[in-house]
Amino acid sequence: MTRPVLFAAAALSALLAGPPASADDSSLPWSDEVGQWFVMPFVGETFVDDDRLLDDDLHYGVAFGKHLNEDWSAQLNLYGGDFDADRSAAETPSWPASFDGSIDGGSFDLMRVFARASRFSPYLLGGVGMQRDDYEGLQGDDNVTLALGMGAMWDLYRSGDGSRTVQLRPEVRTRWDMQSGNTLNDVLAQVGLSFGFGPPRPTPAPVVAAPPPPPPPPPPAKCSDADNDGVCDADDKCPGTPAGIKVDSVGCPLEQRLKLLFDFDSAELRPESLNELERLVKFMGDVPFATALIEGHTDSVGPDAYNQSLSDRRAKAVFDYLSSRGVDPARLKSIGKGESEPIGDNKTAEGRQENRRVLMIRTDSGR
C-alpha cells in the first residue's frame, strides 16, 4: 500500500472511530474550551488534481483560532507543500512535466461543532482563502480557494482549572482552486495537535449551609380563668359567668338580659330597679362595642292600643335613664311590644306583674 493511501486511511480511521471509552468522562470539564484561543500545527497528505501533473505529497501548516461558543469555532489556516512532477505525464506535449511545483496559501475557516461538551466533538468545516501555485521556471499564479470538510476535536488533556487543553484534530477536506478557466480540486487528509489556552474556570462560591431554623417559641403561660369562660381573669369584664353561657371577647354573656318590673298602668322606674340599671350602665361602659335593644311589655288589662303606647313609654324610660348616665344613644334602641308577648298568666295578679316588664337584649356579635 502506498504512503498517501496509508496516511489517508489513518486520518479517516481516527476521524470515524471516535475516542476510546473513558471510565469517568462525566467528571471532566470538557466544555471549558469555549472562549479559548488555540494554535495547531498540522501535517497531512494532499491528493492533487490530475490536471496539475504533480505527484501527491505531504503538506504542512499551522492554524490559529478561537472557540467562539458551544456551536462554532473559527480559525486562520496557513499551509504549504512541495510536489514533484508527475513523471507519468512526461509525454504530454502541452505541459513541461519535468517541472516540480509548490502550493502555499491560507484560508479563513468556520467550524460547526457538535457535542462540544463530550470528549470527542465532530465538526463540519467551510472556508475561503487565497492560494499561490508555483512551478519551477514559470510565473506563480494566485487564486481564490473554497473548501469544505469534516473533522473532529479529540480531547487528550485539560488542566484542572480548565485554562489549558490539548486536542488531536484529524480532518479531511476538499479544496477548489478557482483558476481562470480551469477549477482544480485537491483533496487533503491531515492530523493536527491543537493547544488551547484561556482564563481559568471561575471558582464556585462555597456552599454555605442554611442556618438551622430557630426553636419554636415556648407555649404561652396559661392564665387564670376562675369562671372557665375562656377569657383570662385580667381581661374578664363579667367575672362569675355561669357555666355554659356563651361570652364575648371580654367575658360578658352574649345573651345578657335586663329585667325590670313596673307598677300597674305606670312607666315610672321603681327604686329597686336602680341597682339593675346601674349594672347595665357599668356593663355598657366596660364593653364599648356592645349594642342593645330595650323592649317594653304590659299585661292584658286595658285596650290593645293603650297597652302598646304604655309599653313604648316603659322602654323609653329605660332608654332615657341609660342615656342620662353616659351611654351613647346610638348604641341603644327602644321598642314597645304591648301585651303581645306575655311570660306569665294574665288571669292572676302574679302573672300580670311578670308581664309588666322591660327587657334588654344584646344586638352585637360580641367582637
Side-chain angles (χ1 to χ4, degrees):
M1 185 177 292
T2 64
R3 177 174 56 84
V5 174
L6 285 172
F7 190 93
L12 283 171
S13 297
L15 179 61
L16 298 176
S22 172
D24 191 16
D25 279 355
S26 62
S27 67
L28 301 175
W30 298 119
S31 62
D32 286 344
E33 69 193 41
V34 172
Q36 287 187 348
W37 295 89
F38 64 86
V39 58
M40 182 187 71
F42 60 85
V43 61
E45 186 79 12
T46 301
F47 304 92
V48 296
D49 191 293
D50 290 342
D51 287 347
R52 292 189 184 277
L53 301 181
L54 296 173
D55 284 335
D56 302 336
D57 212 330
L58 295 176
H59 65 266
Y60 308 89
V62 62
F64 305 90
K66 185 175 184 180
H67 301 299
L68 303 176
N69 53 45
E70 289 289 333
D71 298 325
W72 294 96
S73 295
Q75 67 181 15
L76 178 63
N77 185 57
L78 305 176
Y79 57 89
D82 296 322
F83 302 88
D84 296 331
D86 184 2
R87 306 305 176 186
S88 65
E91 298 179 359
T92 304
S94 61
W95 182 256
S98 60
F99 292 167
D100 296 334
S102 64
I103 302 175
D104 303 283
S107 65
F108 177 75
D109 302 330
L110 276 177
M111 293 168 284
R112 174 61 170 92
V113 184
F114 302 91
R116 173 86 75 179
S118 67
R119 189 175 180 183
F120 185 79
S121 306
Y123 63 83
L124 298 177
L125 172 147
V128 59
M130 291 293 295
Q131 179 172 287
R132 184 174 183 81
D133 304 332
D134 279 313
Y135 289 87
E136 294 178 359
L138 298 178
Q139 184 177 357
D141 186 19
D142 296 323
N143 303 295
V144 173
T145 61
L146 300 176
L148 291 176
M150 60 184 292
M153 299 176 185
W154 184 347
D155 295 310
L156 301 180
Y157 165 79
R158 286 186 182 269
S159 61
D161 62 1
S163 63
R164 300 289 184 269
T165 61
V166 179
Q167 295 177 318
L168 188 66
R169 288 264 304 273
E171 183 181 291
V172 176
R173 69 168 69 191
T174 181
R175 184 176 63 217
W176 290 271
D177 187 350
M178 314 297 284
Q179 294 186 1
S180 178
N182 184 25
T183 298
L184 302 179
N185 179 210
D186 303 322
V187 177
L188 300 86
Q190 65 187 39
V191 176
L193 198 60
S194 175
F195 299 90
F197 51 92
R201 184 186 329 109
T203 303
V207 178
V208 179
K222 190 174 181 180
C223 65
S224 174
D225 181 13
D227 56 7
N228 293 315
D229 62 357
V231 178
C232 296
D233 289 343
D235 302 319
D236 199 335
K237 302 296 184 181
C238 299
T241 303
I245 299 296
K246 292 183 179 180
V247 298
D248 58 21
S249 58
V250 293
C252 292
L254 287 172
E255 298 179 354
Q256 182 159 308
R257 292 171 178 264
L258 169 68
K259 185 175 180 180
L260 301 176
L261 301 179
F262 291 82
D263 292 333
F264 175 73
D265 193 22
S266 174
E268 293 184 8
L269 297 173
R270 289 180 175 181
E272 63 265 29
S273 297
L274 293 181
N275 288 337
E276 186 76 350
L277 288 169
E278 286 301 313
R279 183 184 67 80
L280 180 57
V281 169
K282 183 177 184 304
F283 165 76
M284 296 297 283
D286 290 341
V287 188
F289 53 80
T291 59
L293 173 64
I294 300 171
E295 289 186 352
H297 297 268
T298 69
D299 59 26
S300 61
V301 178
D304 290 347
Y306 180 82
N307 287 336
Q308 177 62 49
S309 175
L310 180 59
S311 67
D312 287 336
R313 286 185 284 122
R314 285 173 175 171
K316 186 67 167 55
V318 175
F319 180 97
D320 291 342
Y321 182 88
L322 296 178
S323 299
S324 70
R325 297 287 289 124
V327 179
D328 186 356
R331 299 168 60 194
L332 303 172
K333 183 178 179 181
S334 66
I335 187 173
K337 293 287 189 174
E339 59 183 80
S340 61
E341 297 180 6
I343 60 172
D345 187 355
N346 278 311
K347 294 179 180 180
T348 65
E350 293 80 6
R352 289 192 293 274
Q353 176 63 83
E354 290 182 14
N355 291 335
R356 298 191 294 271
R357 70 197 189 280
V358 169
L359 304 178
M360 188 280 286
I361 304 171
R362 287 186 65 174
T363 56
D364 62 281
S365 64
R367 296 292 184 269

